Amino acid sequence: GLVLASAGLLSAVADICTIDLESGVIKTITNDAFGDYGPTWAPDGKSIVYIARVSGNDKLFRLDMATGKKTQLTFGTHDDGGAQFVDADTLVFPSTAVDPNQPISPEIAKNGNIYNVWTLSLKTNELKQYTDALGGNVSPVVLRDENKAQRIAFITYYKGEYGNHTVSAQKEALHTVATADFGAPGPIIDFQAPLS
């Protein structure tokens, strides 16, 4: 049957749940202490990629539906947004990451937290940055034309206005890095309210 993945609140904590559209049965599948949201099914239906807020940052995780195993996919002290599958082995998502191998200019550091479009290869753990905007690029989706050519569409924000743009999925990346360049799983730091 058709099964929908959704985020919902359970005891005031966001979790990912599935809803069987035929039987109406709802199952909580993440059931942890983190804020989990933004789920998307893998093309084969065997896993779900979602966002979890851990140690103060939004990171991408993958949940294997058969085993319940959760695997962190992205790392670092920046935020990653909701992902979509370009193909069975590639995710596209917005991220506030900047190339960790390049020094950051004071202007970029001052503005910070600007979302741009990135992809992640689930086979090689290679990350590629496709846009470098001043205002931000969010909500990427994959468009396919009748010839199966792919473009990535996204919403832009610049000078107080929103717009739609696309880039070719075959476009040369601006930066290519490894997920390990941003770090690796570490101890989870509990949320602390910024109060003195």
Side-chain angles (χ1 to χ4, degrees):
L2 248 129
V3 179
L4 176 74
S6 177
L9 288 177
L10 181 66
S11 302
V13 177
D15 273 306
I16 307 300
C17 55
T18 58
I19 305 162
D20 188 308
L21 297 181
E22 290 177 9
S23 68
V25 172
I26 300 173
K27 289 182 187 172
T28 303
I29 58 172
T30 51
N31 201 20
D32 55 33
F34 310 115
D36 303 322
Y37 57 100
T40 187
W41 284 101
D44 64 6
K46 294 180 179 177
S47 63
I48 289 176
V49 170
Y50 65 97
I51 304 165
R53 188 156 188 84
V54 293
S55 300
N57 292 107
D58 293 341
K59 299 284 118 196
L60 293 176
F61 280 73
R62 189 172 199 171
L63 173 71
D64 183 278
M65 295 302 289
T67 65
K69 181 183 176 192
K70 299 170 191 169
T71 304
Q72 187 170 347
L73 301 176
T74 58
F75 308 94
T77 56
H78 57 273
D79 290 322
D80 300 316
Q84 297 292 320
F85 279 86
V86 176
D87 55 45
D89 299 308
T90 311
L91 295 170
V92 63
F93 59 99
S95 179
T96 62
V98 293
D99 182 355
N101 301 311
Q102 301 288 327
I104 301 173
S105 74
E107 190 65 23
I108 291 174
K110 180 181 83 172
N111 291 332
N113 297 328
I114 296 171
Y115 281 93
N116 275 292
V117 176
W118 287 71
T119 59
L120 168 63
S121 167
L122 297 173
K123 278 187 171 177
T124 65
N125 292 326
E126 186 176 71
L127 287 158
K128 293 183 177 184
Q129 182 180 357
Y130 285 91
T131 67
D132 189 5
L134 294 174
N137 296 319
V138 296
S139 303
V141 295
V142 179
L143 304 177
R144 292 174 178 82
D145 66 20
E146 60 277 356
N147 299 320
K148 304 279 190 222
Q150 295 179 337
R151 296 191 66 75
I152 297 169
F154 52 91
I155 297 171
T156 62
Y157 179 79
Y158 184 64
K159 292 188 176 180
E161 293 190 3
Y162 290 95
N164 288 324
H165 287 274
T166 64
V167 293
S168 169
Q170 286 74 41
K171 175 187 171 187
E172 187 71 27
L174 301 173
H175 300 288
T176 301
V177 297
T179 53
D181 291 339
F182 288 103
I188 302 298
I189 302 163
D190 290 336
F191 172 75
Q192 303 246 337
L195 300 173
S196 55

mmCIF file of all heavy atoms in Angstrom, residues 138-173:
data_model
loop_
_atom_site.group_PDB
_atom_site.id
_atom_site.type_symbol
_atom_site.label_atom_id
_atom_site.label_comp_id
_atom_site.label_asym_id
_atom_site.label_seq_id
_atom_site.Cartn_x
_atom_site.Cartn_y
_atom_site.Cartn_z
ATOM 1 N N VAL A 138 17.243 28.106 -1.628
ATOM 2 C CA VAL A 138 16.617 27.075 -0.797
ATOM 3 C C VAL A 138 15.627 26.238 -1.604
ATOM 4 O O VAL A 138 15.312 26.550 -2.748
ATOM 5 C CB VAL A 138 15.892 27.702 0.426
ATOM 6 C CG1 VAL A 138 16.884 28.386 1.357
ATOM 7 C CG2 VAL A 138 14.812 28.677 -0.020
ATOM 8 N N SER A 139 15.125 25.187 -0.976
ATOM 9 C CA SER A 139 14.077 24.311 -1.524
ATOM 10 C C SER A 139 14.397 23.736 -2.895
ATOM 11 O O SER A 139 13.588 23.834 -3.822
ATOM 12 C CB SER A 139 12.734 25.060 -1.575
ATOM 13 O OG SER A 139 12.370 25.523 -0.304
ATOM 14 N N PRO A 140 15.563 23.108 -3.078
ATOM 15 C CA PRO A 140 15.870 22.534 -4.395
ATOM 16 C C PRO A 140 14.988 21.322 -4.706
ATOM 17 O O PRO A 140 14.673 20.529 -3.823
ATOM 18 C CB PRO A 140 17.337 22.131 -4.278
ATOM 19 C CG PRO A 140 17.555 21.914 -2.819
ATOM 20 C CD PRO A 140 16.645 22.868 -2.112
ATOM 21 N N VAL A 141 14.575 21.223 -5.958
ATOM 22 C CA VAL A 141 13.836 20.060 -6.457
ATOM 23 C C VAL A 141 14.434 19.662 -7.794
ATOM 24 O O VAL A 141 15.029 20.483 -8.486
ATOM 25 C CB VAL A 141 12.315 20.321 -6.610
ATOM 26 C CG1 VAL A 141 11.663 20.572 -5.269
ATOM 27 C CG2 VAL A 141 12.046 21.465 -7.565
ATOM 28 N N VAL A 142 14.265 18.410 -8.156
ATOM 29 C CA VAL A 142 14.824 17.896 -9.408
ATOM 30 C C VAL A 142 13.750 17.926 -10.485
ATOM 31 O O VAL A 142 12.639 17.439 -10.281
ATOM 32 C CB VAL A 142 15.357 16.463 -9.222
ATOM 33 C CG1 VAL A 142 15.923 15.927 -10.528
ATOM 34 C CG2 VAL A 142 16.403 16.429 -8.123
ATOM 35 N N LEU A 143 14.077 18.522 -11.619
ATOM 36 C CA LEU A 143 13.176 18.568 -12.771
ATOM 37 C C LEU A 143 13.759 17.692 -13.871
ATOM 38 O O LEU A 143 14.958 17.745 -14.133
ATOM 39 C CB LEU A 143 13.043 20.002 -13.297
ATOM 40 C CG LEU A 143 12.586 21.080 -12.319
ATOM 41 C CD1 LEU A 143 12.597 22.440 -12.999
ATOM 42 C CD2 LEU A 143 11.194 20.764 -11.799
ATOM 43 N N ARG A 144 12.893 16.894 -14.511
ATOM 44 C CA ARG A 144 13.343 16.055 -15.622
ATOM 45 C C ARG A 144 12.494 16.386 -16.841
ATOM 46 O O ARG A 144 11.271 16.416 -16.749
ATOM 47 C CB ARG A 144 13.187 14.578 -15.263
ATOM 48 C CG ARG A 144 14.125 14.108 -14.182
ATOM 49 C CD ARG A 144 13.849 12.671 -13.757
ATOM 50 N NE ARG A 144 14.778 12.214 -12.750
ATOM 51 C CZ ARG A 144 14.654 12.470 -11.449
ATOM 52 N NH1 ARG A 144 13.631 13.177 -11.021
ATOM 53 N NH2 ARG A 144 15.540 12.032 -10.585
ATOM 54 N N ASP A 145 13.149 16.594 -17.989
ATOM 55 C CA ASP A 145 12.373 16.854 -19.195
ATOM 56 C C ASP A 145 12.125 15.545 -19.947
ATOM 57 O O ASP A 145 12.500 14.466 -19.489
ATOM 58 C CB ASP A 145 13.054 17.915 -20.072
ATOM 59 C CG ASP A 145 14.389 17.454 -20.650
ATOM 60 O OD1 ASP A 145 14.639 16.229 -20.702
ATOM 61 O OD2 ASP A 145 15.171 18.316 -21.067
ATOM 62 N N GLU A 146 11.500 15.642 -21.109
ATOM 63 C CA GLU A 146 11.124 14.431 -21.852
ATOM 64 C C GLU A 146 12.329 13.618 -22.309
ATOM 65 O O GLU A 146 12.219 12.435 -22.594
ATOM 66 C CB GLU A 146 10.237 14.789 -23.058
ATOM 67 C CG GLU A 146 10.874 15.716 -24.080
ATOM 68 C CD GLU A 146 10.801 17.201 -23.730
ATOM 69 O OE1 GLU A 146 10.183 17.537 -22.699
ATOM 70 O OE2 GLU A 146 11.373 18.024 -24.471
ATOM 71 N N ASN A 147 13.509 14.242 -22.361
ATOM 72 C CA ASN A 147 14.733 13.531 -22.743
ATOM 73 C C ASN A 147 15.496 13.005 -21.533
ATOM 74 O O ASN A 147 16.634 12.588 -21.656
ATOM 75 C CB ASN A 147 15.645 14.455 -23.565
ATOM 76 C CG ASN A 147 14.961 14.903 -24.841
ATOM 77 O OD1 ASN A 147 14.285 14.118 -25.488
ATOM 78 N ND2 ASN A 147 15.118 16.178 -25.179
ATOM 79 N N LYS A 148 14.879 13.067 -20.346
ATOM 80 C CA LYS A 148 15.465 12.602 -19.082
ATOM 81 C C LYS A 148 16.622 13.479 -18.610
ATOM 82 O O LYS A 148 17.336 13.121 -17.686
ATOM 83 C CB LYS A 148 15.951 11.140 -19.176
ATOM 84 C CG LYS A 148 14.882 10.166 -19.610
ATOM 85 C CD LYS A 148 14.011 9.788 -18.459
ATOM 86 C CE LYS A 148 13.119 8.616 -18.883
ATOM 87 N NZ LYS A 148 11.778 8.706 -18.451
ATOM 88 N N ALA A 149 16.832 14.629 -19.277
ATOM 89 C CA ALA A 149 17.853 15.567 -18.800
ATOM 90 C C ALA A 149 17.362 16.169 -17.490
ATOM 91 O O ALA A 149 16.173 16.401 -17.312
ATOM 92 C CB ALA A 149 18.096 16.657 -19.838
ATOM 93 N N GLN A 150 18.297 16.388 -16.571
ATOM 94 C CA GLN A 150 17.915 16.875 -15.254
ATOM 95 C C GLN A 150 18.383 18.296 -15.023
ATOM 96 O O GLN A 150 19.487 18.668 -15.399
ATOM 97 C CB GLN A 150 18.497 15.973 -14.163
ATOM 98 C CG GLN A 150 17.941 14.584 -14.173
ATOM 99 C CD GLN A 150 18.574 13.743 -13.082
ATOM 100 O OE1 GLN A 150 19.657 14.027 -12.624
ATOM 101 N NE2 GLN A 150 17.884 12.710 -12.673
ATOM 102 N N ARG A 151 17.502 19.060 -14.369
ATOM 103 C CA ARG A 151 17.856 20.384 -13.885
ATOM 104 C C ARG A 151 17.434 20.455 -12.424
ATOM 105 O O ARG A 151 16.513 19.764 -12.010
ATOM 106 C CB ARG A 151 17.165 21.483 -14.690
ATOM 107 C CG ARG A 151 17.613 21.496 -16.155
ATOM 108 C CD ARG A 151 17.148 22.709 -16.909
ATOM 109 N NE ARG A 151 17.728 23.967 -16.472
ATOM 110 C CZ ARG A 151 18.981 24.362 -16.731
ATOM 111 N NH1 ARG A 151 19.792 23.570 -17.400
ATOM 112 N NH2 ARG A 151 19.422 25.527 -16.312
ATOM 113 N N ILE A 152 18.133 21.259 -11.663
ATOM 114 C CA ILE A 152 17.774 21.473 -10.265
ATOM 115 C C ILE A 152 17.177 22.869 -10.167
ATOM 116 O O ILE A 152 17.830 23.864 -10.503
ATOM 117 C CB ILE A 152 19.009 21.330 -9.357
ATOM 118 C CG1 ILE A 152 19.548 19.901 -9.444
ATOM 119 C CG2 ILE A 152 18.655 21.698 -7.909
ATOM 120 C CD1 ILE A 152 20.907 19.711 -8.809
ATOM 121 N N ALA A 153 15.915 22.926 -9.748
ATOM 122 C CA ALA A 153 15.231 24.203 -9.558
ATOM 123 C C ALA A 153 15.284 24.559 -8.077
ATOM 124 O O ALA A 153 15.276 23.684 -7.210
ATOM 125 C CB ALA A 153 13.784 24.096 -10.028
ATOM 126 N N PHE A 154 15.343 25.850 -7.783
ATOM 127 C CA PHE A 154 15.395 26.285 -6.389
ATOM 128 C C PHE A 154 14.851 27.703 -6.274
ATOM 129 O O PHE A 154 14.723 28.423 -7.264
ATOM 130 C CB PHE A 154 16.819 26.196 -5.838
ATOM 131 C CG PHE A 154 17.862 26.881 -6.692
ATOM 132 C CD1 PHE A 154 18.209 28.207 -6.483
ATOM 133 C CD2 PHE A 154 18.483 26.188 -7.721
ATOM 134 C CE1 PHE A 154 19.158 28.831 -7.281
ATOM 135 C CE2 PHE A 154 19.435 26.804 -8.531
ATOM 136 C CZ PHE A 154 19.770 28.133 -8.304
ATOM 137 N N ILE A 155 14.520 28.081 -5.061
ATOM 138 C CA ILE A 155 14.016 29.420 -4.773
ATOM 139 C C ILE A 155 15.186 30.278 -4.325
ATOM 140 O O ILE A 155 16.001 29.860 -3.497
ATOM 141 C CB ILE A 155 12.928 29.380 -3.690
ATOM 142 C CG1 ILE A 155 11.732 28.565 -4.192
ATOM 143 C CG2 ILE A 155 12.492 30.787 -3.287
ATOM 144 C CD1 ILE A 155 10.698 28.276 -3.135
ATOM 145 N N THR A 156 15.269 31.483 -4.884
ATOM 146 C CA THR A 156 16.334 32.415 -4.510
ATOM 147 C C THR A 156 15.740 33.561 -3.700
ATOM 148 O O THR A 156 14.555 33.886 -3.832
ATOM 149 C CB THR A 156 17.006 33.026 -5.756
ATOM 150 O OG1 THR A 156 16.036 33.777 -6.489
ATOM 151 C CG2 THR A 156 17.590 31.966 -6.643
ATOM 152 N N TYR A 157 16.567 34.141 -2.854
ATOM 153 C CA TYR A 157 16.181 35.345 -2.125
ATOM 154 C C TYR A 157 17.298 36.359 -2.291
ATOM 155 O O TYR A 157 18.459 36.062 -1.989
ATOM 156 C CB TYR A 157 15.963 35.046 -0.643
ATOM 157 C CG TYR A 157 15.580 36.291 0.145
ATOM 158 C CD1 TYR A 157 14.279 36.777 0.115
ATOM 159 C CD2 TYR A 157 16.527 36.986 0.882
ATOM 160 C CE1 TYR A 157 13.930 37.920 0.805
ATOM 161 C CE2 TYR A 157 16.182 38.138 1.579
ATOM 162 C CZ TYR A 157 14.882 38.595 1.541
ATOM 163 O OH TYR A 157 14.541 39.738 2.218
ATOM 164 N N TYR A 158 16.961 37.530 -2.821
ATOM 165 C CA TYR A 158 17.973 38.567 -3.042
ATOM 166 C C TYR A 158 17.307 39.932 -3.018
ATOM 167 O O TYR A 158 16.298 40.147 -3.699
ATOM 168 C CB TYR A 158 18.681 38.325 -4.382
ATOM 169 C CG TYR A 158 19.818 39.280 -4.657
ATOM 170 C CD1 TYR A 158 20.952 39.292 -3.842
ATOM 171 C CD2 TYR A 158 19.763 40.173 -5.709
ATOM 172 C CE1 TYR A 158 22.004 40.159 -4.078
ATOM 173 C CE2 TYR A 158 20.812 41.040 -5.963
ATOM 174 C CZ TYR A 158 21.926 41.044 -5.141
ATOM 175 O OH TYR A 158 22.965 41.903 -5.371
ATOM 176 N N LYS A 159 17.853 40.825 -2.219
ATOM 177 C CA LYS A 159 17.360 42.205 -2.100
ATOM 178 C C LYS A 159 15.856 42.253 -1.845
ATOM 179 O O LYS A 159 15.115 43.006 -2.480
ATOM 180 C CB LYS A 159 17.734 43.017 -3.337
ATOM 181 C CG LYS A 159 19.224 43.260 -3.459
ATOM 182 C CD LYS A 159 19.559 44.215 -4.581
ATOM 183 C CE LYS A 159 21.061 44.489 -4.595
ATOM 184 N NZ LYS A 159 21.438 45.411 -5.677
ATOM 185 N N GLY A 160 15.390 41.404 -0.934
ATOM 186 C CA GLY A 160 13.989 41.440 -0.510
ATOM 187 C C GLY A 160 13.010 40.780 -1.443
ATOM 188 O O GLY A 160 11.799 40.868 -1.243
ATOM 189 N N GLU A 161 13.489 40.102 -2.493
ATOM 190 C CA GLU A 161 12.581 39.461 -3.436
ATOM 191 C C GLU A 161 12.936 37.988 -3.627
ATOM 192 O O GLU A 161 14.103 37.614 -3.595
ATOM 193 C CB GLU A 161 12.620 40.170 -4.791
ATOM 194 C CG GLU A 161 12.054 41.568 -4.738
ATOM 195 C CD GLU A 161 11.874 42.176 -6.121
ATOM 196 O OE1 GLU A 161 12.142 41.476 -7.129
ATOM 197 O OE2 GLU A 161 11.480 43.342 -6.187
ATOM 198 N N TYR A 162 11.888 37.185 -3.837
ATOM 199 C CA TYR A 162 12.063 35.770 -4.116
ATOM 200 C C TYR A 162 11.962 35.520 -5.614
ATOM 201 O O TYR A 162 11.220 36.205 -6.316
ATOM 202 C CB TYR A 162 10.992 34.938 -3.400
ATOM 203 C CG TYR A 162 11.160 34.904 -1.902
ATOM 204 C CD1 TYR A 162 10.479 35.796 -1.081
ATOM 205 C CD2 TYR A 162 12.013 33.985 -1.316
ATOM 206 C CE1 TYR A 162 10.651 35.774 0.299
ATOM 207 C CE2 TYR A 162 12.195 33.952 0.060
ATOM 208 C CZ TYR A 162 11.507 34.847 0.859
ATOM 209 O OH TYR A 162 11.679 34.826 2.213
ATOM 210 N N GLY A 163 12.689 34.538 -6.104
ATOM 211 C CA GLY A 163 12.619 34.163 -7.509
ATOM 212 C C GLY A 163 12.888 32.677 -7.661
ATOM 213 O O GLY A 163 13.265 32.003 -6.709
ATOM 214 N N ASN A 164 12.679 32.163 -8.870
ATOM 215 C CA ASN A 164 12.964 30.763 -9.183
ATOM 216 C C ASN A 164 14.104 30.704 -10.185
ATOM 217 O O ASN A 164 14.136 31.476 -11.140
ATOM 218 C CB ASN A 164 11.732 30.076 -9.805
ATOM 219 C CG ASN A 164 10.642 29.841 -8.792
ATOM 220 O OD1 ASN A 164 10.928 29.551 -7.649
ATOM 221 N ND2 ASN A 164 9.392 29.980 -9.206
ATOM 222 N N HIS A 165 15.026 29.795 -9.960
ATOM 223 C CA HIS A 165 16.138 29.597 -10.880
ATOM 224 C C HIS A 165 16.392 28.107 -11.036
ATOM 225 O O HIS A 165 15.936 27.297 -10.224
ATOM 226 C CB HIS A 165 17.413 30.279 -10.360
ATOM 227 C CG HIS A 165 17.375 31.766 -10.468
ATOM 228 N ND1 HIS A 165 17.738 32.453 -11.597
ATOM 229 C CD2 HIS A 165 16.984 32.699 -9.578
ATOM 230 C CE1 HIS A 165 17.579 33.748 -11.403
ATOM 231 N NE2 HIS A 165 17.123 33.925 -10.177
ATOM 232 N N THR A 166 17.136 27.748 -12.080
ATOM 233 C CA THR A 166 17.530 26.363 -12.273
ATOM 234 C C THR A 166 19.005 26.302 -12.652
ATOM 235 O O THR A 166 19.559 27.268 -13.180
ATOM 236 C CB THR A 166 16.715 25.659 -13.394
ATOM 237 O OG1 THR A 166 16.987 26.302 -14.637
ATOM 238 C CG2 THR A 166 15.233 25.662 -13.101
ATOM 239 N N VAL A 167 19.628 25.167 -12.332
ATOM 240 C CA VAL A 167 20.969 24.861 -12.820
ATOM 241 C C VAL A 167 20.931 23.440 -13.366
ATOM 242 O O VAL A 167 20.122 22.621 -12.932
ATOM 243 C CB VAL A 167 22.062 24.975 -11.722
ATOM 244 C CG1 VAL A 167 22.239 26.398 -11.261
ATOM 245 C CG2 VAL A 167 21.786 24.048 -10.564
ATOM 246 N N SER A 168 21.798 23.149 -14.298
ATOM 247 C CA SER A 168 21.882 21.813 -14.846
ATOM 248 C C SER A 168 22.494 20.879 -13.801
ATOM 249 O O SER A 168 23.442 21.244 -13.107
ATOM 250 C CB SER A 168 22.746 21.804 -16.104
ATOM 251 O OG SER A 168 23.026 20.476 -16.493
ATOM 252 N N ALA A 169 21.941 19.679 -13.694
ATOM 253 C CA ALA A 169 22.494 18.684 -12.776
ATOM 254 C C ALA A 169 23.872 18.231 -13.251
ATOM 255 O O ALA A 169 24.623 17.625 -12.493
ATOM 256 C CB ALA A 169 21.551 17.493 -12.645
ATOM 257 N N GLN A 170 24.226 18.533 -14.498
ATOM 258 C CA GLN A 170 25.532 18.175 -15.031
ATOM 259 C C GLN A 170 26.520 19.336 -14.950
ATOM 260 O O GLN A 170 27.667 19.222 -15.380
ATOM 261 C CB GLN A 170 25.414 17.721 -16.494
ATOM 262 C CG GLN A 170 24.805 16.330 -16.668
ATOM 263 C CD GLN A 170 23.307 16.306 -16.417
ATOM 264 O OE1 GLN A 170 22.583 17.204 -16.817
ATOM 265 N NE2 GLN A 170 22.838 15.282 -15.719
ATOM 266 N N LYS A 171 26.097 20.458 -14.383
ATOM 267 C CA LYS A 171 26.958 21.637 -14.277
ATOM 268 C C LYS A 171 28.206 21.321 -13.445
ATOM 269 O O LYS A 171 28.160 20.539 -12.510
ATOM 270 C CB LYS A 171 26.171 22.774 -13.609
ATOM 271 C CG LYS A 171 26.985 24.013 -13.342
ATOM 272 C CD LYS A 171 26.211 25.033 -12.520
ATOM 273 C CE LYS A 171 27.158 26.136 -12.098
ATOM 274 N NZ LYS A 171 26.591 27.081 -11.189
ATOM 275 N N GLU A 172 29.305 21.952 -13.814
ATOM 276 C CA GLU A 172 30.541 21.803 -13.046
ATOM 277 C C GLU A 172 30.344 22.428 -11.668
ATOM 278 O O GLU A 172 29.868 23.553 -11.542
ATOM 279 C CB GLU A 172 31.682 22.505 -13.784
ATOM 280 C CG GLU A 172 33.050 22.299 -13.184
ATOM 281 C CD GLU A 172 33.586 20.895 -13.382
ATOM 282 O OE1 GLU A 172 33.202 20.235 -14.360
ATOM 283 O OE2 GLU A 172 34.386 20.463 -12.541
ATOM 284 N N ALA A 173 30.712 21.696 -10.625
ATOM 285 C CA ALA A 173 30.547 22.197 -9.255
ATOM 286 C C ALA A 173 31.538 23.321 -8.970
ATOM 287 O O ALA A 173 32.646 23.340 -9.501
ATOM 288 C CB ALA A 173 30.746 21.059 -8.263
#
